[in-house]
Amino acid sequence: MNIILLGPPGAGKGTQSDFLRDSYGLSKLATGDMLRAAVAAGTEMGKKAKAVMDSGALVSDDIVIGIIRDAIKQCPKGFILDGFPRTVAQAEALDVMLAEIGKKLDHVIELKVNDVEMVARISGRYSCGKCGAGYHDDFKKPVKEGVCDSCGSSEFKRRDDDRAETVAKRLEAYHAQTAPLLPYYEKRGALKSVDGMAAIEDVTEALRTLLR
Ligand code: AP5
């Protein structure tokens, strides 16, 4: 099964793609995570990407298409794309890649949310510094305060691009460059949507129902 999750920053793409990966054995391909890993590793590509990401703009199509091109071939049970495609050029490149390897998209799912709430969601987000498990100050706390549920670490971190002014720029980039993907997939009859404003568990349940 091959899935794209679409939605603005904070919509819950990362949260729900973890569920899809764990429940269906799919590979999660999250371009934001891959770019952050390149930044942390200090690669040439990471150095180029960091300034752009910190400004809230999109990294160039060439870079992200290159990252996905290799990764998409290594998904034996299928994939969830989280954060890709993000421009029409990326969606067109994805169509070509899939045709080349004989795969197809099964579901393109929009997590529908309201922008105003996204700033609060993103500013409350943090993750485990060791295993990357995601949390939120209000909506998803670890069971034991200060201890990661997944690996027991007590080191947590927040993203550099989660400052309020950068979040506003990321939302602008979403509406200008990524929202045109909704009609792109709708015209093919591939687009489905789920209420991303519901509680995390309810969004998960709606996805489970949609994929059944
Ligand atoms: P990326 O890492 O992809 O960030 P994003 O799309 O801005 O999305 P987020 O990770 O902020 O949000 P999310 O939808 O995953 O929400 P989450 O589940 O974490 O991209 C970062 C940057 O990399 C981009 O700005 C760009 O520069 C670059 N980039 C990446 N891909 C690119 C591409 N293809 N092309 C060009 N550039 C690219 O949830 C957020 C918080 O809310 C969490 O704390 C969570 O616990 C909580 N939460 C989730 N769901 C709910 C809910 N239903 N109710 C309450 N709280 C919830």
Side-chain angles (χ1 to χ4, degrees), residues 8-15 31-32 35-36 53 57-59 64 83-84 86 90 121 125 135-136 139-140 159 161 170 196 198-200 203:
K13 303 180 297 295
T15 304
T31 38
L35 290 166
R36 281 184 288 280
M53 291 168 81
L58 295 186
V59 172
V64 287
F84 183 94
R86 236 170 164 113
Q90 292 177 23
R121 272 200 197 172
R125 167 172 56 191
Y135 297 98
H136 192 280
F139 308 126
K140 193 180 174 210
R159 274 169 47 175
D161 61 346
R170 287 163 55 199
I200 294 177
V203 179

